[in-house]
Amino acid sequence: MSVDIQNLKAQYEKAGQGHVFTYFDSLSEFEQKAFSEQLQKIDPARVQKLRDLALNPPKEQGQAVVEPLPDSANASIIDSKPEDIQRWYDLGLELIGKGEVAVVLLAGGQGTRLGSKAPKGAFDIQLPSHKSLFQIQAERILKIQELAAKKAADPSKAIIPWFIMTSGPTRGPTEKFFKKEKLDELSDEENANRAKGAPYFGLDPKNVTIFEQGVLPCITNDGKFMLASKGKLAVAPDGNGGLYKALQDEGVLEKMRPNIKHVHAYCVDNCLAKVADPVFIGFAAEKKVKIATKVVRKRDAKESVGLIIQKNGKPDVVEYSEIDDATRQAADPKQPDLLKFRAANIVNHYYSFEYLDSMGDAVNSLPPHVARKKIPFFDTEKGEAVDPKSPNGIKLEQFVFDNFKWLDLSEFACFEVKREEEFSPLKNADPAKAADGSFEKQPEDSPTTSRRHIKEQGRRWVEAVGAIVKNGDVDDGLEVSPLTSYGGEGLESFKGQTIEKLSI
């Protein structure tokens, strides 16, 4: 052990971070072991390079030329031909049926803004069924596997392995939630609802892998790693861009390698996410791209969202704050009633497995972004814990889309989908209520909007086949279980019926 510690100390001292060992000798043997294990997982030289890159990003040569993606890299489900959509769907379903599709879920966040310390995926948006986001998404996997198996040459191969990327605070609770164990972070009612369901929501546990994204040390303004205590670094998750390194470090690529050729990645907070969407997978596979991304149309010029564009001839994402008003409001010359720049990023991506497997050391080159924060820390000079009143350090995080610009336009594709069918993020708590029970202001990206959007979708689906909904639902909608229908298919038996149930 002493040899390892000496090597570790040398490594940190070489990177100018030897101060983290200030109290090492005063720690108990157990504390020393835990601390050294934490330190071994971090490469201090790499972190220094990331910090330098974040604070001194390479300057772009000349004026950046920003344009929408060319038609060759674009498709829209809104105005594509029905036969094209059907062809993509059939191809995607065929690939699922061959066992060549995997799904990666970005689920590192807690429901802090929603008033919950549990993983956000465990949140109950108060559907009639009280299904959590995790359960809704698991059942979409079950349903699309079932649909693919019906058309597959070998139905037993129609399996979609689900890889769930958590963070330090959410990994343990996520594992317990999937196993149907009681969570201290949930209420008795929420635990009782979970207890009614099946472990892993009916999925085979061997096809569900829960793994953990990496962390990066919090850093003082003058470049020193911060301690949370005498024997612990202050760390923060490395952002959703940490996905690529975690796929390598956590053995996920190794698990995928024998069979997987196509990977769908999305965020847990989108209750409308079409998990392993066969249309999207078929579209991307047919184009033989390395990365494809789903987008929705920007609501209006003022909506604060990142946009998928081409910048200096490469695919890229530009943040709302990076473009001026004239660019935001510019009309599309071909369709003047639409914005020229309207492809809103919803963090919903396709990757060829071959691309992910070929990234190698490039995972360490994703440009980090700086967030200046108030970070509680242990002051090694004063020997005491400090709770700062103003920002005192930086957290580094990487974004999952920062590798788009490494691709040629021919290796990238953008797929526009209908917002009302595929995108309803859960970001905020519901607003306070007035005395009459109404909200004091309109809910936005909240449990209420998520619940309403699922029910509105369900109502649209059954009305499209000729059913009538008269169920007295508080949101005037209908919950359609993913086990009943994945995307509106299979509901013909309700034609001519009046549906009085709250969910089917």
Side-chain angles (χ1 to χ4, degrees):
M1 180 177 174
S2 58
V3 176
D4 290 340
I5 293 301
Q6 292 311 313
N7 286 340
L8 204 55
K9 279 185 177 177
Q11 197 181 351
Y12 275 78
E13 282 166 2
K14 186 178 178 183
Q17 304 295 344
H19 66 281
V20 301
F21 286 93
T22 300
Y23 296 99
F24 192 84
D25 292 340
S26 70
L27 301 176
S28 69
E29 189 175 338
F30 175 80
E31 290 169 331
Q32 286 184 354
K33 184 174 183 293
F35 191 26
S36 60
E37 284 175 357
Q38 184 194 31
L39 293 173
Q40 281 175 325
K41 289 179 181 177
I42 289 165
D43 178 351
R46 170 180 176 259
V47 177
Q48 287 292 92
K49 283 181 187 173
L50 288 176
R51 174 186 174 270
D52 293 344
L53 189 59
L55 295 176
N56 305 289
K59 289 184 170 57
E60 292 179 354
Q61 299 298 314
Q63 186 70 29
V65 179
V66 175
E67 287 291 334
L69 289 171
D71 291 344
S72 59
N74 257 324
S76 172
I77 206 159
I78 296 168
D79 46 30
S80 287
K81 295 175 183 174
E83 57 266 32
D84 289 340
I85 296 170
Q86 187 63 49
R87 186 178 70 254
W88 295 328
Y89 177 83
D90 291 342
L91 175 56
L93 214 57
E94 179 188 333
L95 297 171
I96 292 169
K98 290 178 178 177
E100 294 179 359
V101 174
V103 168
V104 171
L105 171 59
L106 306 179
Q110 293 168 288
T112 312
R113 283 196 207 168
L114 309 170
S116 170
K117 290 182 180 177
K120 197 182 269 191
F123 196 80
D124 174 4
I125 57 174
Q126 299 298 308
L127 289 166
S129 66
H130 289 284
K131 289 176 182 176
S132 64
L133 295 173
F134 279 140
Q135 182 169 354
I136 292 165
Q137 293 161 22
E139 290 182 355
R140 288 194 185 127
I141 291 175
L142 285 166
K143 187 63 177 179
I144 202 65
Q145 285 181 164
E146 176 192 312
L147 294 171
K150 287 177 181 175
K151 294 193 171 187
D154 180 355
S156 68
K157 287 186 176 178
I159 299 295
I160 300 169
W162 199 15
F163 296 90
I164 299 167
M165 186 172 83
T166 61
S167 61
T170 62
R171 182 174 190 162
T174 298
E175 289 172 339
K176 288 173 74 174
F177 194 71
F178 269 73
K179 291 174 183 173
K180 220 173 81 162
E181 295 175 8
K182 188 173 183 286
L183 278 193
D184 293 339
E185 297 88 346
L186 294 179
S187 68
D188 290 344
E189 184 183 355
E190 288 168 327
N191 275 309
N193 285 329
R194 176 66 189 102
K196 294 173 189 172
Y200 292 84
F201 310 105
L203 291 165
D204 188 332
K206 74 172 184 286
N207 298 323
V208 178
T209 301
I210 295 170
F211 66 106
E212 192 174 324
Q213 72 184 104
V215 295
L216 290 169
C218 301
I219 304 172
T220 63
N221 291 325
D222 57 359
K224 296 295 183 184
F225 293 179
M226 301 171 83
L227 289 174
S229 64
K230 290 181 179 180
K232 190 177 182 182
L233 277 181
V235 296
D238 54 8
N240 57 21
L243 167 68
Y244 306 114
K245 185 166 170 53
L247 292 176
Q248 295 178 359
D249 293 351
E250 296 279 300
V252 174
L253 294 179
E254 201 63 39
K255 276 192 167 186
M256 290 182 178
R257 194 166 289 118
N259 303 307
I260 300 304
K261 295 180 181 175
H262 312 276
V263 178
H264 179 215
Y266 70 99
C267 294
V268 74
D269 65 0
N270 179 12
C271 67
L272 293 180
K274 296 183 80 171
V275 186
D277 176 13
V279 177
F280 183 44
I281 291 161
F283 160 76
E286 184 180 87
K287 290 188 81 70
K288 295 182 169 61
V289 292
K290 293 180 177 179
I291 299 178
T293 186
K294 278 190 181 185
V295 297
V296 296
R297 280 184 190 173
K298 214 178 157 180
R299 285 194 191 106
D300 53 52
K302 293 180 179 177
E303 186 182 10
S304 179
V305 288
L307 297 171
I308 307 290
I309 46 95
Q310 60 166 315
K311 190 174 179 182
N312 297 334
K314 295 280 191 177
D316 209 339
V317 174
V318 63
E319 294 299 330
Y320 179 81
S321 58
E322 295 179 72
I323 52 177
D324 57 33
D325 278 340
T327 306
R328 286 186 198 123
Q329 294 172 17
D332 186 335
K334 296 177 186 173
Q335 304 176 77
D337 57 330
L338 297 177
L339 292 170
K340 180 179 180 181
F341 296 96
R342 60 181 180 271
N345 177 29
I346 61 172
V347 194
N348 191 313
H349 307 312
Y350 161 94
Y351 301 94
S352 73
F353 174 77
E354 187 179 11
Y355 169 72
L356 291 174
D357 202 30
S358 70
M359 284 188 76
D361 194 49
V363 299
N364 294 314
S365 301
L366 275 184
H369 300 259
V370 169
R372 298 191 180 277
K373 301 280 188 180
K374 288 187 288 187
I375 305 167
F377 71 104
F378 191 87
D379 190 326
T380 55
E381 292 179 7
K382 296 180 180 176
E384 62 185 25
V386 179
D387 192 3
K389 299 290 183 279
S390 59
N392 62 320
I394 62 174
K395 294 181 179 181
L396 298 175
E397 58 178 352
Q398 297 170 306
F399 294 165
V400 74
F401 52 73
D402 273 335
N403 57 341
F404 290 5
K405 66 188 75 163
W406 299 347
L407 303 181
D408 292 328
L409 286 171
S410 62
E411 300 171 318
F412 183 86
C414 183
F415 192 63
E416 183 187 61
V417 296
K418 294 179 181 177
R419 186 188 288 253
E420 67 271 22
E421 292 292 336
E422 299 205 33
F423 186 54
S424 180
L426 178 59
K427 304 287 186 190
N428 310 309
D430 281 325
K433 288 190 174 181
D436 63 358
S438 64
F439 288 118
E440 290 181 355
K441 62 179 183 178
Q442 279 295 104
E444 185 178 342
D445 297 341
S446 75
T448 290
T449 57
S450 293
R451 183 181 67 251
R452 285 175 181 168
H453 291 157
I454 283 184
K455 291 180 182 179
E456 287 165 4
Q457 181 184 64
R459 184 175 187 126
R460 284 195 302 274
W461 286 353
V462 296
E463 288 180 345
V465 299
I468 297 168
V469 179
K470 284 189 179 177
N471 59 2
D473 179 70
V474 65
D475 297 310
D476 201 27
L478 174 71
E479 180 187 3
V480 176
S481 166
L483 300 176
T484 302
S485 181
Y486 175 86
E489 83 297 326
L491 298 171
E492 293 76 17
S493 62
F494 291 97
K495 183 177 181 178
Q497 286 192 29
T498 297
I499 300 173
E500 296 180 349
K501 293 180 178 179
L502 294 174
S503 59
I504 59 171

